[in-house]
Amino acid sequence: KQWYQRRVAITPGDDLVTKLTEKVADLTISFADTKADMRNLKTSVEEEIADLKTSVEEEIADLTTSVEEDMANLKTSVEEEMVDLKATPREVMIVSGEEQPGEARCARVCAGTTGRGTTTWNDVSSHGVQLSVDISKCGFVKVPTVTTSVEGKNAQWRATGLAAVYTTTTTSFIMWVEGLQHSPTSGNAESWGWNVEWVAVGYIC
C-alpha cells in the first residue's frame, strides 16, 4: 500500500517532465524554423536590394544617355539658329557711331518720351531750361546715336535747342532748350506740356 501511494505520487511529476520535454522540443524546432525563416528573409531582402540597385543603375544610365542626347540636340539647334541669325539681313544697320562698332546682331532701336505730365524742367537761365533724360532701360553698352524733338501744346515751335543733345552716355543724355519770345522758365514748360520725344540707336552687346 505504501509503494502504491508513492507510485501514484510520482506519476504526475513524470507527466510534467514529459510535457516540458515536449515543449522544449517544440520550442527547439520552432526556433530552428525561425532561424531558417530569418535566413530566407535575409536572402530575399538581399536579392531585392540587389535587383533594386541594378534597376536604379539602369535608370540612371538611361537618364544620363537621354540628357546627353538632349544636350547634343540643343547644341546643334542653337548652332543652326546662330548660323541662320547671322545670315538673316538686319533691319537695323548702324554705319557709324561714337565708339567702335559692335556686332550687327546687337544693334537696337530704342525710343521713348519723358511724358506730357511727368516731365520736370530745371531753370538754367532767364529764358532756358534743362532736362536729363533717362535711357537706361534700353540696355546700351556703347554710346548710342540720339535724335530728339520737344512735343507740347504751346510755344515749342519758337524754342531753340529742340534737337540739341548734350553729354550722351549709355544711360542718359541732357537737353538744353531756350525760348526768347516765350520763356519756358518758372514752370511754363510744364504748363505747356513740353516733353522730350527721343529715338536712340546703338548696341546692346
Coordinates of all heavy atoms in Angstrom, one line a residue, residues 7-93:
R7 N 4.0 5.5 -5.9 CA 3.9 5.4 -7.3 C 2.9 6.4 -7.9 O 3.2 7.1 -8.8 CB 3.6 4.0 -7.8 CG 3.5 3.8 -9.3 CD 3.2 2.4 -9.7 NE 3.1 2.3 -11.1 CZ 4.2 2.0 -11.9 NH1 5.4 1.9 -11.3 NH2 4.0 1.9 -13.2
V8 N 1.8 6.5 -7.2 CA 0.8 7.5 -7.6 C 1.3 8.9 -7.4 O 1.0 9.8 -8.2 CB -0.5 7.2 -6.8 CG1 -1.5 8.4 -7.0 CG2 -1.1 5.9 -7.1
A9 N 2.0 9.1 -6.4 CA 2.5 10.5 -6.1 C 3.6 10.9 -7.1 O 3.7 12.0 -7.5 CB 3.1 10.5 -4.7
I10 N 4.3 9.9 -7.7 CA 5.4 10.2 -8.6 C 4.8 10.4 -10.0 O 5.4 11.2 -10.8 CB 6.4 9.1 -8.6 CG1 7.1 9.1 -7.2 CG2 7.5 9.3 -9.7 CD1 8.1 7.9 -7.0
T11 N 3.7 9.8 -10.4 CA 3.2 9.8 -11.8 C 3.0 11.2 -12.3 O 3.4 11.6 -13.4 CB 1.9 8.9 -11.9 OG1 2.3 7.6 -11.5 CG2 1.4 9.0 -13.3
P12 N 2.3 12.1 -11.5 CA 2.1 13.4 -12.0 C 3.4 14.1 -12.4 O 3.5 14.9 -13.3 CB 1.4 14.1 -10.9 CG 0.7 13.0 -10.1 CD 1.7 11.9 -10.2
G13 N 4.4 13.9 -11.6 CA 5.8 14.5 -11.9 C 6.3 14.0 -13.2 O 6.9 14.8 -14.0
D14 N 6.2 12.8 -13.5 CA 6.7 12.2 -14.8 C 5.9 12.9 -15.9 O 6.5 13.2 -17.0 CB 6.4 10.7 -14.8 CG 7.3 10.0 -13.7 OD1 8.4 10.7 -13.3 OD2 7.0 8.9 -13.4
D15 N 4.6 13.1 -15.8 CA 3.8 13.7 -16.9 C 4.3 15.1 -17.1 O 4.4 15.6 -18.3 CB 2.3 13.7 -16.5 CG 1.7 12.3 -16.5 OD1 2.4 11.4 -17.1 OD2 0.7 12.2 -15.9
L16 N 4.6 15.8 -16.0 CA 5.1 17.2 -16.2 C 6.4 17.3 -16.9 O 6.7 18.1 -17.8 CB 5.2 17.8 -14.8 CG 5.8 19.3 -14.7 CD1 4.8 20.2 -15.5 CD2 5.9 19.7 -13.3
V17 N 7.3 16.3 -16.5 CA 8.6 16.3 -17.2 C 8.4 16.0 -18.7 O 9.1 16.6 -19.6 CB 9.5 15.2 -16.5 CG1 10.8 15.0 -17.4 CG2 9.9 15.6 -15.1
T18 N 7.5 15.1 -19.0 CA 7.3 14.7 -20.4 C 6.7 15.9 -21.2 O 7.2 16.2 -22.3 CB 6.2 13.6 -20.5 OG1 6.7 12.4 -19.8 CG2 5.9 13.2 -21.9
K19 N 5.8 16.6 -20.5 CA 5.2 17.8 -21.2 C 6.3 18.9 -21.4 O 6.4 19.5 -22.4 CB 4.1 18.4 -20.4 CG 2.9 17.5 -20.4 CD 1.7 18.1 -19.6 CE 0.5 17.2 -19.6 NZ -0.6 17.7 -18.8
L20 N 7.1 19.1 -20.4 CA 8.2 20.1 -20.5 C 9.2 19.7 -21.6 O 9.6 20.5 -22.4 CB 8.9 20.3 -19.2 CG 8.1 21.0 -18.1 CD1 8.9 21.0 -16.8 CD2 7.8 22.4 -18.5
T21 N 9.5 18.4 -21.7 CA 10.4 17.9 -22.7 C 9.8 18.2 -24.1 O 10.5 18.6 -25.0 CB 10.7 16.4 -22.5 OG1 11.2 16.2 -21.2 CG2 11.6 15.9 -23.5
E22 N 8.5 17.9 -24.2 CA 7.8 18.1 -25.5 C 7.8 19.6 -25.8 O 8.0 20.0 -27.0 CB 6.4 17.6 -25.4 CG 6.3 16.0 -25.3 CD 4.9 15.5 -25.2 OE1 4.0 16.4 -24.9 OE2 4.7 14.3 -25.3
K23 N 7.6 20.4 -24.8 CA 7.6 21.9 -25.0 C 8.9 22.4 -25.5 O 9.1 23.1 -26.4 CB 7.2 22.6 -23.8 CG 5.7 22.5 -23.4 CD 4.9 23.3 -24.3 CE 3.4 23.3 -23.9 NZ 2.6 24.1 -24.9
V24 N 10.0 21.9 -24.8 CA 11.3 22.2 -25.2 C 11.6 21.8 -26.6 O 12.3 22.5 -27.4 CB 12.4 21.6 -24.2 CG1 13.8 21.8 -24.7 CG2 12.2 22.3 -22.8
A25 N 11.2 20.6 -26.9 CA 11.4 20.1 -28.3 C 10.7 20.9 -29.3 O 11.3 21.3 -30.4 CB 11.0 18.6 -28.4
D26 N 9.4 21.3 -29.0 CA 8.7 22.1 -29.9 C 9.4 23.5 -30.0 O 9.4 24.0 -31.2 CB 7.2 22.3 -29.4 CG 6.4 21.0 -29.4 OD1 6.9 20.1 -30.2 OD2 5.4 21.0 -28.7
L27 N 9.8 24.1 -28.9 CA 10.5 25.4 -29.0 C 11.8 25.3 -29.8 O 12.1 26.2 -30.5 CB 10.8 25.9 -27.6 CG 9.6 26.3 -26.8 CD1 10.0 26.7 -25.3 CD2 8.9 27.6 -27.4
T28 N 12.5 24.2 -29.6 CA 13.7 24.0 -30.4 C 13.4 23.9 -31.9 O 14.1 24.6 -32.7 CB 14.4 22.7 -29.9 OG1 14.7 22.8 -28.5 CG2 15.7 22.5 -30.7
I29 N 12.4 23.2 -32.2 CA 12.0 23.1 -33.6 C 11.6 24.4 -34.1 O 11.9 24.9 -35.2 CB 10.9 22.0 -33.8 CG1 11.5 20.6 -33.5 CG2 10.4 22.1 -35.2 CD1 10.4 19.5 -33.4
S30 N 10.7 25.1 -33.3 CA 10.2 26.4 -33.7 C 11.4 27.4 -33.9 O 11.4 28.2 -34.8 CB 9.2 27.0 -32.7 OG 8.8 28.3 -33.0
F31 N 12.3 27.4 -33.0 CA 13.5 28.3 -33.1 C 14.3 28.0 -34.3 O 14.8 28.9 -35.0 CB 14.3 28.1 -31.8 CG 15.5 29.0 -31.8 CD1 15.4 30.4 -31.6 CD2 16.8 28.5 -31.9 CE1 16.5 31.3 -31.6 CE2 17.9 29.4 -31.9 CZ 17.8 30.7 -31.8
A32 N 14.4 26.7 -34.6 CA 15.2 26.3 -35.8 C 14.5 26.8 -37.0 O 15.1 27.3 -38.0 CB 15.4 24.8 -35.8
D33 N 13.1 26.7 -37.0 CA 12.3 27.2 -38.2 C 12.4 28.7 -38.3 O 12.5 29.2 -39.4 CB 10.9 26.8 -38.0 CG 10.6 25.3 -38.1 OD1 11.5 24.6 -38.7 OD2 9.6 24.8 -37.6
T34 N 12.4 29.3 -37.1 CA 12.5 30.8 -37.2 C 13.9 31.2 -37.7 O 14.0 32.2 -38.5 CB 12.4 31.4 -35.8 OG1 11.1 31.0 -35.3 CG2 12.5 32.9 -35.8
K35 N 14.9 30.6 -37.3 CA 16.3 30.9 -37.9 C 16.3 30.7 -39.4 O 16.9 31.5 -40.1 CB 17.3 30.0 -37.2 CG 17.6 30.4 -35.7 CD 18.7 29.5 -35.1 CE 20.0 29.7 -35.8 NZ 21.0 28.8 -35.1
A36 N 15.7 29.6 -39.8 CA 15.6 29.3 -41.3 C 14.8 30.4 -42.0 O 15.2 30.8 -43.0 CB 15.0 27.9 -41.5
D37 N 13.7 30.8 -41.4 CA 12.9 31.8 -42.0 C 13.7 33.1 -42.0 O 13.6 33.9 -43.0 CB 11.6 32.1 -41.2 CG 10.7 30.9 -41.3 OD1 10.8 30.1 -42.2 OD2 9.8 30.7 -40.4
M38 N 14.4 33.4 -41.0 CA 15.2 34.7 -41.0 C 16.3 34.6 -42.1 O 16.6 35.6 -42.7 CB 15.9 34.9 -39.6 CG 14.9 35.2 -38.5 SD 14.1 36.8 -38.8 CE 15.4 37.9 -38.6
R39 N 16.9 33.5 -42.2 CA 17.9 33.3 -43.3 C 17.3 33.5 -44.6 O 17.8 34.2 -45.5 CB 18.6 32.0 -43.2 CG 19.6 31.8 -42.0 CD 20.5 30.6 -42.2 NE 19.7 29.4 -42.1 CZ 19.5 28.7 -41.0 NH1 20.0 29.1 -39.9 NH2 18.8 27.6 -41.0
N40 N 16.1 32.9 -44.8 CA 15.4 33.1 -46.1 C 15.0 34.5 -46.3 O 15.1 35.0 -47.5 CB 14.2 32.2 -46.1 CG 14.5 30.7 -46.1 OD1 15.6 30.3 -46.6 ND2 13.6 29.9 -45.6
L41 N 14.5 35.2 -45.3 CA 14.1 36.6 -45.4 C 15.3 37.4 -45.7 O 15.3 38.3 -46.6 CB 13.5 37.0 -44.1 CG 13.1 38.5 -44.0 CD1 12.0 38.8 -45.1 CD2 12.5 38.9 -42.6
K42 N 16.5 37.2 -45.0 CA 17.7 37.9 -45.3 C 18.1 37.8 -46.8 O 18.5 38.7 -47.5 CB 18.8 37.5 -44.4 CG 20.1 38.2 -44.6 CD 21.2 37.7 -43.7 CE 22.6 38.4 -44.0 NZ 23.6 37.8 -43.2
T43 N 18.1 36.5 -47.2 CA 18.4 36.2 -48.6 C 17.5 37.0 -49.6 O 17.9 37.6 -50.6 CB 18.4 34.7 -48.9 OG1 19.3 34.1 -48.0 CG2 18.8 34.4 -50.4
S44 N 16.2 36.9 -49.3 CA 15.2 37.6 -50.1 C 15.4 39.1 -50.2 O 15.4 39.7 -51.2 CB 13.8 37.3 -49.6 OG 12.8 38.0 -50.4
V45 N 15.7 39.7 -49.0 CA 15.9 41.1 -48.9 C 17.2 41.5 -49.7 O 17.2 42.5 -50.4 CB 16.0 41.6 -47.4 CG1 16.5 43.0 -47.4 CG2 14.7 41.5 -46.8
E46 N 18.2 40.7 -49.5 CA 19.5 41.0 -50.2 C 19.2 40.9 -51.8 O 19.8 41.7 -52.5 CB 20.5 40.0 -49.8 CG 21.0 40.2 -48.4 CD 22.0 39.2 -47.9 OE1 22.1 38.1 -48.6 OE2 22.7 39.4 -46.9
E47 N 18.5 39.9 -52.2 CA 18.2 39.8 -53.6 C 17.4 41.0 -54.1 O 17.6 41.5 -55.2 CB 17.4 38.5 -53.9 CG 18.3 37.2 -53.7 CD 17.5 35.9 -53.8 OE1 16.2 36.1 -53.9 OE2 18.1 34.9 -53.8
E48 N 16.4 41.4 -53.3 CA 15.6 42.6 -53.7 C 16.4 43.8 -53.8 O 16.2 44.7 -54.7 CB 14.4 42.7 -52.7 CG 13.3 41.7 -52.9 CD 12.2 41.9 -51.9 OE1 12.2 43.0 -51.3 OE2 11.2 41.1 -51.9
I49 N 17.3 44.0 -52.8 CA 18.2 45.2 -52.8 C 19.1 45.1 -54.0 O 19.3 46.2 -54.7 CB 19.0 45.2 -51.5 CG1 18.1 45.5 -50.3 CG2 20.1 46.3 -51.6 CD1 18.8 45.5 -49.0
A50 N 19.6 44.0 -54.3 CA 20.5 43.8 -55.5 C 19.7 44.2 -56.8 O 20.2 44.9 -57.7 CB 21.1 42.4 -55.6
D51 N 18.5 43.7 -56.9 CA 17.6 43.9 -58.1 C 17.3 45.4 -58.1 O 17.4 46.0 -59.2 CB 16.3 43.1 -58.0 CG 16.6 41.6 -58.1 OD1 17.7 41.3 -58.7 OD2 15.7 40.8 -57.8
L52 N 17.0 46.0 -57.0 CA 16.7 47.5 -57.0 C 17.9 48.3 -57.4 O 17.8 49.3 -58.1 CB 16.2 47.9 -55.6 CG 15.8 49.3 -55.4 CD1 14.7 49.7 -56.3 CD2 15.5 49.6 -53.9
K53 N 19.1 47.9 -56.9 CA 20.3 48.6 -57.2 C 20.6 48.5 -58.7 O 20.9 49.5 -59.3 CB 21.5 48.0 -56.4 CG 22.8 48.7 -56.7 CD 23.9 48.1 -55.9 CE 25.3 48.7 -56.3 NZ 26.4 48.1 -55.5
T54 N 20.4 47.3 -59.2 CA 20.6 47.2 -60.7 C 19.6 48.0 -61.5 O 20.0 48.7 -62.5 CB 20.4 45.7 -61.1 OG1 21.4 44.9 -60.4 CG2 20.6 45.5 -62.6
S55 N 18.3 48.0 -61.0 CA 17.3 48.8 -61.7 C 17.6 50.3 -61.7 O 17.5 51.0 -62.7 CB 15.9 48.5 -61.1 OG 14.9 49.3 -61.6
V56 N 18.0 50.8 -60.5 CA 18.4 52.2 -60.3 C 19.5 52.6 -61.2 O 19.6 53.6 -61.9 CB 18.7 52.5 -58.9 CG1 19.2 53.9 -58.7 CG2 17.4 52.4 -58.0
E57 N 20.6 51.7 -61.3 CA 21.7 52.0 -62.1 C 21.3 52.0 -63.6 O 21.8 52.9 -64.3 CB 22.8 50.9 -61.8 CG 23.5 51.0 -60.5 CD 24.4 49.8 -60.2 OE1 24.3 48.8 -61.0 OE2 25.2 49.9 -59.2
E58 N 20.4 51.1 -64.0 CA 20.0 51.1 -65.4 C 19.2 52.4 -65.7 O 19.3 53.0 -66.7 CB 19.1 49.9 -65.6 CG 19.9 48.6 -65.6 CD 19.0 47.4 -65.8 OE1 17.8 47.5 -65.7 OE2 19.6 46.2 -65.9
E59 N 18.3 52.8 -64.7 CA 17.5 54.0 -64.9 C 18.5 55.2 -65.0 O 18.3 56.1 -65.9 CB 16.6 54.2 -63.7 CG 15.4 53.2 -63.7 CD 14.4 53.5 -64.8 OE1 14.4 54.6 -65.3 OE2 13.6 52.6 -65.1
I60 N 19.5 55.3 -64.1 CA 20.4 56.4 -64.2 C 21.2 56.4 -65.5 O 21.4 57.5 -66.1 CB 21.4 56.3 -63.0 CG1 20.7 56.6 -61.7 CG2 22.5 57.3 -63.2 CD1 21.5 56.4 -60.5
A61 N 21.6 55.3 -65.9 CA 22.3 55.2 -67.2 C 21.4 55.6 -68.4 O 21.9 56.4 -69.2 CB 22.8 53.7 -67.5
D62 N 20.2 55.2 -68.4 CA 19.2 55.6 -69.4 C 19.0 57.1 -69.4 O 19.0 57.8 -70.4 CB 17.9 54.9 -69.3 CG 18.0 53.4 -69.6 OD1 19.1 53.0 -70.2 OD2 17.1 52.6 -69.2
L63 N 18.8 57.7 -68.1 CA 18.6 59.1 -68.0 C 19.8 59.9 -68.4 O 19.6 60.9 -69.1 CB 18.3 59.4 -66.5 CG 18.0 60.9 -66.2 CD1 16.7 61.3 -67.0 CD2 17.7 61.0 -64.7
T64 N 21.0 59.4 -68.1 CA 22.2 60.1 -68.5 C 22.3 60.2 -70.0 O 22.7 61.2 -70.6 CB 23.4 59.4 -67.9 OG1 23.3 59.4 -66.4 CG2 24.7 60.1 -68.3
T65 N 22.1 59.0 -70.6 CA 22.1 59.0 -72.1 C 21.1 59.9 -72.7 O 21.4 60.6 -73.7 CB 21.8 57.5 -72.5 OG1 22.8 56.6 -72.0 CG2 21.9 57.4 -74.1
S66 N 19.9 59.9 -72.1 CA 18.8 60.8 -72.7 C 19.2 62.3 -72.5 O 19.0 63.1 -73.5 CB 17.5 60.5 -71.9 OG 16.5 61.4 -72.3
V67 N 19.8 62.6 -71.4 CA 20.2 64.0 -71.1 C 21.3 64.4 -72.1 O 21.3 65.5 -72.7 CB 20.6 64.2 -69.7 CG1 21.3 65.6 -69.5 CG2 19.4 64.1 -68.7
E68 N 22.2 63.5 -72.3 CA 23.4 63.8 -73.2 C 22.9 64.0 -74.6 O 23.3 64.9 -75.3 CB 24.4 62.7 -73.1 CG 25.2 62.7 -71.8 CD 26.1 61.5 -71.7 OE1 25.9 60.5 -72.5 OE2 26.9 61.4 -70.8
E69 N 21.9 63.2 -75.0 CA 21.3 63.3 -76.3 C 20.6 64.6 -76.5 O 20.7 65.3 -77.5 CB 20.4 62.1 -76.6 CG 21.1 60.8 -76.8 CD 20.2 59.6 -77.0 OE1 19.0 59.8 -76.8 OE2 20.6 58.5 -77.3
D70 N 19.8 65.0 -75.4 CA 19.1 66.2 -75.5 C 20.0 67.4 -75.6 O 19.8 68.4 -76.3 CB 18.2 66.4 -74.2 CG 17.0 65.4 -74.3 OD1 16.7 64.9 -75.4 OD2 16.4 65.1 -73.2
M71 N 21.1 67.4 -74.8 CA 22.1 68.5 -74.8 C 22.7 68.6 -76.2 O 23.0 69.7 -76.7 CB 23.1 68.2 -73.7 CG 22.6 68.4 -72.3 SD 22.0 70.1 -72.0 CE 23.6 71.0 -72.0
A72 N 23.1 67.4 -76.7 CA 23.7 67.4 -78.1 C 22.7 68.0 -79.1 O 23.1 68.8 -80.0 CB 24.1 66.0 -78.5
N73 N 21.4 67.6 -79.0 CA 20.4 68.2 -80.0 C 20.3 69.7 -79.8 O 20.1 70.4 -80.7 CB 19.1 67.4 -79.8 CG 19.2 66.0 -80.2 OD1 20.0 65.6 -81.0 ND2 18.3 65.1 -79.6
L74 N 20.2 70.1 -78.5 CA 20.1 71.5 -78.2 C 21.3 72.3 -78.7 O 21.1 73.4 -79.3 CB 19.9 71.7 -76.7 CG 19.8 73.2 -76.2 CD1 18.5 73.8 -76.8 CD2 19.7 73.2 -74.7
K75 N 22.5 71.8 -78.5 CA 23.7 72.5 -79.0 C 23.6 72.6 -80.5 O 23.9 73.7 -81.1 CB 24.9 71.7 -78.6 CG 26.2 72.3 -79.1 CD 27.4 71.5 -78.7 CE 28.7 72.1 -79.2 NZ 29.9 71.3 -78.8
T76 N 23.2 71.5 -81.2 CA 23.1 71.6 -82.7 C 22.0 72.6 -83.1 O 22.2 73.4 -84.0 CB 22.7 70.2 -83.2 OG1 23.7 69.2 -82.8 CG2 22.6 70.2 -84.7
S77 N 20.9 72.6 -82.4 CA 19.8 73.5 -82.7 C 20.3 75.0 -82.5 O 20.0 75.8 -83.4 CB 18.6 73.3 -81.8 OG 17.6 74.2 -82.1
V78 N 21.0 75.3 -81.4 CA 21.5 76.6 -81.2 C 22.5 77.0 -82.2 O 22.4 78.2 -82.7 CB 22.1 76.7 -79.8 CG1 22.8 78.0 -79.6 CG2 21.0 76.6 -78.7
E79 N 23.4 76.1 -82.6 CA 24.3 76.4 -83.6 C 23.7 76.7 -85.0 O 24.1 77.7 -85.7 CB 25.3 75.3 -83.8 CG 26.3 75.1 -82.6 CD 27.1 73.9 -82.7 OE1 26.8 73.0 -83.5 OE2 28.1 73.7 -81.9
E80 N 22.6 76.0 -85.3 CA 21.9 76.2 -86.5 C 21.2 77.5 -86.5 O 21.1 78.3 -87.5 CB 20.9 75.1 -86.8 CG 21.6 73.7 -87.1 CD 20.6 72.6 -87.2 OE1 19.4 72.8 -86.8 OE2 21.0 71.5 -87.6
E81 N 20.6 77.9 -85.3 CA 19.9 79.1 -85.2 C 20.9 80.3 -85.3 O 20.6 81.3 -85.9 CB 19.2 79.2 -83.8 CG 18.0 78.3 -83.6 CD 16.8 78.8 -84.4 OE1 16.8 80.0 -84.8 OE2 15.9 78.0 -84.7
M82 N 22.1 80.1 -84.8 CA 23.1 81.2 -84.9 C 23.5 81.4 -86.3 O 23.7 82.5 -86.8 CB 24.3 80.8 -84.0 CG 24.1 80.9 -82.5 SD 23.6 82.6 -82.0 CE 25.1 83.4 -82.3
V83 N 23.7 80.3 -87.0 CA 24.0 80.4 -88.5 C 22.9 81.1 -89.2 O 23.2 82.1 -90.0 CB 24.3 79.0 -89.1 CG1 24.4 79.1 -90.6 CG2 25.5 78.4 -88.5
D84 N 21.7 80.7 -89.0 CA 20.5 81.4 -89.6 C 20.4 82.9 -89.2 O 20.1 83.7 -90.1 CB 19.2 80.7 -89.3 CG 19.1 79.3 -89.8 OD1 19.9 79.0 -90.8 OD2 18.4 78.5 -89.3
L85 N 20.7 83.2 -87.9 CA 20.6 84.5 -87.5 C 21.7 85.4 -88.1 O 21.4 86.6 -88.5 CB 20.8 84.6 -85.9 CG 20.6 85.9 -85.2 CD1 19.2 86.4 -85.4 CD2 20.9 85.8 -83.8
K86 N 22.9 84.9 -88.3 CA 23.9 85.7 -88.9 C 23.7 85.9 -90.4 O 24.1 86.9 -91.0 CB 25.3 85.0 -88.7 CG 25.8 85.0 -87.3 CD 27.1 84.3 -87.1 CE 27.6 84.3 -85.7 NZ 28.9 83.7 -85.5
A87 N 23.0 84.9 -91.0 CA 22.7 85.0 -92.4 C 21.5 85.9 -92.7 O 21.2 86.3 -93.8 CB 22.5 83.6 -93.0
T88 N 20.7 86.2 -91.7 CA 19.4 87.0 -91.9 C 19.8 88.5 -92.0 O 20.5 89.0 -91.2 CB 18.5 86.8 -90.7 OG1 18.2 85.4 -90.5 CG2 17.2 87.6 -90.9
P89 N 19.2 89.1 -93.1 CA 19.5 90.5 -93.3 C 19.0 91.3 -92.1 O 17.9 91.0 -91.5 CB 18.7 90.9 -94.5 CG 18.5 89.6 -95.2 CD 18.4 88.5 -94.2
R90 N 19.7 92.3 -91.6 CA 19.3 93.1 -90.5 C 18.5 94.3 -90.9 O 18.7 95.0 -91.9 CB 20.6 93.7 -89.8 CG 21.5 92.6 -89.3 CD 20.9 91.9 -88.2 NE 21.5 90.6 -87.9 CZ 21.0 89.6 -87.3 NH1 19.8 89.7 -86.8 NH2 21.7 88.5 -87.1
E91 N 17.4 94.5 -90.1 CA 16.5 95.7 -90.3 C 17.2 96.9 -89.7 O 16.8 98.0 -90.1 CB 15.2 95.4 -89.6 CG 14.4 94.3 -90.2 CD 13.0 94.1 -89.5 OE1 12.7 94.9 -88.6 OE2 12.3 93.2 -89.9
V92 N 18.1 96.8 -88.8 CA 18.8 97.9 -88.2 C 20.3 97.8 -88.6 O 20.9 96.9 -88.3 CB 18.7 97.9 -86.6 CG1 19.5 99.1 -86.1 CG2 17.2 97.9 -86.2
M93 N 20.7 98.9 -89.2 CA 22.1 98.9 -89.6 C 22.7 100.2 -89.1 O 22.2 101.3 -89.4 CB 22.3 98.9 -91.1 CG 23.7 98.9 -91.6 SD 23.9 98.9 -93.4 CE 23.3 97.2 -93.7

